[in-house]
Amino acid sequence: MANKRALSWSAALRDLKDDRARRQEVREERLRTTAGLRGTPALVLSAWRGRSGRRYVVGIHELAEPELDDMGEAVVMAVRRDASGVGELVSVASAGQSPRERLHRNWIARARHRGATEMHVHRLAEDEAEREAIVADLGSEQKADAAN
């Protein structure tokens, strides 16, 4: 008895191509670690997958100016949610300690105007170069929103 495996090469190649395309789009991947907690956790976490396939864990905050004052060095993302709760990246910027690197106040106004209601903050980047690389990975079209 011979084991023959029926394999459609065209279907396999199409699936592989679809998988690669999915990996290249920027998207939010909600973390399941907080799903079973009762009540609201102290810090709501999520993650974003960049075009490179790297995952960036973020804290979710309300889109508010006082939050910017206490942020320090981070990658900041303005996010809006659709009716089904799917997050869409509106703007990505790098914020640093020096006044030259801080986010401008009008960044929040522009993000709100584009429908953002949340600010996702990634604080695990080592330095300015890594923060800029993350901004580029998450959205080159938003690079103009980076603070300078």
Side-chain angles (χ1 to χ4, degrees):
M1 182 188 271
N3 287 332
K4 284 193 173 185
R5 196 163 112 183
L7 179 65
S8 168
W9 284 105
S10 61
L13 289 174
R14 185 185 62 239
D15 290 347
L16 181 62
K17 184 178 177 183
D18 289 345
D19 186 48
R20 283 185 186 151
R22 236 178 290 136
R23 275 190 263 154
Q24 291 178 351
E25 65 187 40
V26 174
R27 66 189 179 279
E28 182 182 25
E29 297 177 344
R30 301 299 296 250
L31 297 178
R32 289 183 252 170
T33 57
T34 58
L37 297 176
R38 294 180 194 189
T40 305
L43 178 62
V44 181
L45 298 175
S46 189
W48 283 88
R49 182 79 58 180
R51 285 183 184 86
S52 67
R54 289 188 61 196
R55 188 171 82 160
Y56 307 102
V57 176
V58 297
I60 300 176
H61 305 272
E62 183 180 332
L63 188 63
E65 287 182 22
E67 294 285 342
L68 287 176
D69 294 334
D70 299 329
M71 188 177 347
E73 297 178 346
V75 174
V76 185
M77 297 156 241
V79 176
R80 69 176 160 228
R81 294 208 179 272
D82 65 13
S84 62
V86 175
E88 180 186 348
L89 205 53
V90 170
S91 180
V92 181
S94 173
Q97 291 293 344
S98 73
R100 177 182 72 78
E101 294 179 305
R102 286 206 181 271
L103 285 177
H104 299 286
R105 295 282 180 215
N106 59 1
W107 182 82
I108 286 182
R110 285 193 317 262
R112 275 199 185 113
H113 180 71
R114 293 169 63 189
T117 58
E118 298 175 357
M119 181 168 56
H120 294 199
V121 181
H122 176 73
R123 291 186 170 95
L124 302 176
E126 295 286 328
D127 55 20
E128 182 180 353
E130 189 175 348
R131 289 193 308 271
E132 289 300 325
I134 294 169
V135 169
D137 189 24
L138 290 174
S140 59
E141 67 276 2
Q142 289 96 359
K143 193 155 177 108
D145 288 335
N148 280 325

